[in-house]
Amino acid sequence: MADVVSLGARLKTRRAELGLSQAQAARELDVARTAYRLWEMQAAKPSPDRWRLISRWLGVSVTTMLLAGELISAEEATANTVTEARFGRAGEDRDLASAAREGDFFLQSRGLIQDGVASGSITAEQADELSLVLDRLEQERRAAPTIQWAPGELRKAFPASERTPRAARDAVSLIAGDIPTEALETVRLLTSELVTNSVVHGPPAIVGVFIEVGRDRVRIEISDEADAPPRPGPPGRDGGYGLTLVDALASRWDTSRDGNRNVTWFELDLPAPGA
Amino acid sequence: MKPFAGNRTPFFVIPFDDGRGARLVGELDLSTVRVLLAALETLPVGVLDLAELSFMDARGLHALEQHAGRLNGSAPLVLENVSPPIRRLFELTGADRDPDLKLRSGGADG
């Protein structure tokens, strides 16, 4: 498969063939000289309303022009070239660009390329180039992570002190720093509340912190050696507020007994990717 | 095991130039409420700017209510530039209905 020559290089070559300066080329393409220079440098992209004119000037099809390097996103290029293959025009049917973000885009596109070759609206070489871009696009799509944050877990026993709530919050930020900001704020707050309760009402020597970031939720477990599990107190009491907040903000929470340790845990559901 | 030797939690109370109030900077929690209450004892201001308060939990909230109570109801304690997460804290605990507290999202002019 021939390398795809970048649009910048194509423009430069064509301008040399015609013996034009950048200013003259810009006049022929009806754009400002600065804009033309940026196109040659691959530092800017021509807008779709210029595509026809540029491709004619270059003496190549819009298909070839759009595939030139990474000038426009492969997805957009593909959508437009498929449109060209189908309707003999490009840059006009933006529906296909949104179809690109939907499921059967690749299947649909390959069918359209075959139709284009069969009807003679694109050459076999162009169809090959197009297929290459589709393959690359599909690979990129597969390689892309399907979740927006990295799962992971962290377990640590902190000696109880008035600084432990902050240490636990920082641990949350460390392991869950890439979850949505609002969720992170909530998990940091609730972790701070539970650890504060453990430190204040224990008095435990050790506060155990377990943080688990999953695909769809964060789970926090705080354990201590207090005699009885904590319960929400009346509003206004120091300890009461903490569990009131956990109850209001967590997706679910509970307390349990693990040997001689009390475990208070909560989970916060995370929004689905793309939601 | 040694006590947790992490850095001191960052928290500062910085008086306004005009002495009308103070800015709270940093994180207000179990380890820093003492700093707040001690500062406000010598500086009984009625306005606190929370724009640079990056974290506050129920301990911090309780301390602010304590300070508001100490103002003796002469005027409510005005909290300026209350961020959405901190406002939520007040709402969920019902502290936003405390007549001793007045929350403002913007500053004095906002």
Side-chain angles (χ1 to χ4, degrees):
Chain A
M1 193 67 53
D3 281 346
V4 179
V5 180
S6 77
L7 181 68
R10 280 182 195 271
L11 287 170
K12 242 179 274 183
T13 307
R14 181 62 178 150
R15 186 163 61 79
E17 277 170 20
L18 297 171
L20 300 177
S21 68
Q22 285 190 339
Q24 288 166 325
R27 256 199 302 282
E28 290 205 358
L29 291 171
D30 195 23
V31 290
R33 207 180 99 189
T34 316
Y36 178 83
R37 195 168 61 233
L38 293 174
W39 293 351
E40 274 199 3
M41 291 162 62
Q42 296 278 106
K45 307 167 179 186
S47 57
D49 58 318
R50 302 275 161 206
W51 292 349
R52 274 260 163 240
L53 190 58
I54 298 169
S55 70
R56 266 205 300 270
W57 190 70
L58 289 172
V60 300
S61 72
V62 175
T63 305
T64 306
M65 195 208 75
L66 289 177
L67 291 173
E70 308 254 325
L71 180 79
I72 60 174
S73 77
E75 198 167 270
E76 223 180 341
T78 310
N80 279 290
T81 41
V82 168
T83 310
E84 190 189 19
R86 190 187 199 178
F87 304 107
R89 60 194 167 86
E92 290 163 30
D93 191 339
R94 287 325 186 109
D95 288 350
L96 272 162
S98 57
R101 286 181 274 279
E102 286 160 23
D104 57 354
F105 171 72
F106 293 103
L107 197 66
Q108 195 190 354
S109 298
R110 291 202 168 91
L112 288 169
I113 293 168
Q114 281 173 7
D115 292 351
V117 176
S119 68
S121 62
I122 58 172
T123 66
E125 189 194 334
Q126 286 166 350
D128 282 348
E129 272 188 296
L130 200 48
S131 299
L132 192 67
V133 171
L134 276 173
D135 289 347
R136 196 177 65 205
L137 199 62
E138 213 172 358
Q139 271 170 13
E140 281 172 11
R141 195 66 65 80
R142 265 203 304 274
T146 53
I147 52 166
Q148 293 165 319
W149 48 86
E153 57 181 63
L154 185 150
R155 185 187 297 278
K156 181 150 172 88
F158 290 98
S161 86
E162 63 173 22
R163 293 187 193 175
T164 318
R166 181 185 171 219
R169 292 200 299 275
D170 287 355
V172 168
S173 296
L174 181 72
I175 190 95
D178 51 355
I179 66 172
T181 310
E182 204 186 322
L184 180 62
E185 293 275 4
T186 300
V187 176
R188 274 169 52 85
L189 174 67
L190 301 187
T191 301
S192 195
E193 300 298 347
L194 292 183
V195 174
T196 299
N197 283 357
S198 285
V199 171
V200 172
H201 300 297
I206 302 292
V207 178
V209 176
F210 174 67
I211 305 161
E212 182 183 37
V213 182
R215 284 165 184 276
D216 55 359
R217 78 190 63 168
V218 174
R219 180 183 171 92
I220 304 285
E221 295 177 14
I222 306 298
S223 62
D224 63 48
E225 286 164 2
D227 290 335
R231 285 289 159 206
R237 256 186 66 231
D238 256 12
Y241 275 159
L243 282 177
T244 303
L245 291 169
V246 174
D247 196 48
L249 294 172
S251 303
R252 57 201 74 80
W253 73 278
D254 206 348
T255 60
S256 64
R257 196 79 186 159
D258 177 15
N260 64 339
R261 298 183 74 73
N262 278 323
V263 180
T264 305
W265 62 264
F266 73 85
E267 290 180 349
L268 183 70
D269 292 338
L270 298 173
Chain B
M1 199 162 1
K2 285 190 301 184
F4 175 65
N7 290 332
R8 188 178 289 278
T9 308
F11 181 73
F12 307 95
V13 181
I14 303 171
F16 294 168
D17 288 340
D18 62 8
R20 189 178 57 91
R23 288 190 289 140
L24 305 190
V25 181
E27 303 184 17
L28 190 51
D29 71 354
L30 180 66
S31 64
T32 57
V33 286
R34 271 186 291 105
V35 179
L36 174 72
L37 290 173
L40 293 180
E41 205 150 336
T42 57
L43 194 81
V45 295
V47 180
L48 294 175
D49 182 349
L50 307 191
E52 292 160 275
L53 190 64
S54 55
F55 178 83
M56 183 172 103
D57 61 15
R59 283 277 151 172
L61 176 78
H62 188 71
L64 290 177
E65 287 189 310
Q66 267 179 273
H67 176 62
R70 287 200 307 215
L71 293 176
N72 275 329
S74 51
L77 172 63
V78 178
L79 302 175
E80 290 178 351
N81 296 308
V82 180
S83 67
I86 293 180
R87 175 173 289 276
R88 186 177 64 170
L89 191 64
F90 279 89
E91 288 168 356
L92 290 173
T93 56
D96 60 327
R97 296 190 298 273
D98 186 335
D100 291 343
L101 289 171
K102 189 165 163 52
L103 273 62
R104 289 197 187 138
S105 297
D109 305 322

